[in-house]
Amino acid sequence: MSEKNGSANSKVVLLNGVIKSFPLGDDAEVTVLKGVNLEVQRGEFVSIVGPSGNGKSTLLNMITGIDRPSAGEVIVTGQPVHSMSENDLAAWRGDHVGIIFQFFQMLPSLSLLQNVMLPMDFANKYESKEREQRALELLDIVDLSDQANKLPGMVSGGQQQRAAIARALANDPPLVVADEPTGNLDSRSAADVFNLFNRLVKEGTTMLMVTHDKELARQVPRVIEITDGRITRDEYAGAAVWTGY
Ligand code: ADP
Ligand code: MG
């Protein structure tokens, strides 16, 4: 049974007392996360909202191990992300976390297909002979099979973001983290992206999405608000439609 669907580890994200400060000049520092405690269970869809500059992206960076906390613990898919070596982090991230950014971050000189294959080449979870077929299947899920050989610059923003989602799913990660994934999309493309996320959650993926889109956040079962580096709201806004675990 894969980890994604297994029962061994239902707590996908666990943050204990996470503090993050950045140096500001010689002796000063700015504390951006001021003691964050958070638990996210397998299969949850969580939206993270809050004013700009209040620590949302920093929080995601703690969870993905892109950056480290100044204090506190970050346990993700059972791994102590706060204390792992860079090499272990890179290997872990490659097949446990799919990351989606506002500006897609596709490699411009590679086709959509090659972009989606890249994480598979890095993680070695899928055999090299099956990677292209898997990438094509993922592009089909995001409705891009007919664009597979195009460069990112030749397709629309919505299409690039859907390809970025396919890339994030390349190694079938248990956790997908998206930082304002619809921030650069028209409302129709945003709805497509959101529908895809819902589909992933139905299949057991745990999904964290930072968004400024109130309409989208309202449709997500659990909403966390970050204000001034603290969780100031954590509620099951969509409780009426949320079916639990
Ligand atoms: P949000 O995603 O909520 O808009 P961020 O987490 O990006 O906010 O940033 C929170 C605060 O931390 C901002 O004031 C930002 O300037 C600061 N910050 C983020 N990254 C760094 C960094 N590497 N060095 C110094 N300050 C940073
Ligand atoms: Mg941000």
Side-chain angles (χ1 to χ4, degrees), residues 22-24 30 32 50-59 67 179-180 210 212 226:
F22 293 106
L24 258 192
V30 56
V32 170
S52 209
N54 277 235
K56 302 182 299 295
S57 295
T58 304
L59 181 68
D67 203 355
D179 197 349
E180 301 193 36
V210 168
H212 278 127
I226 308 280

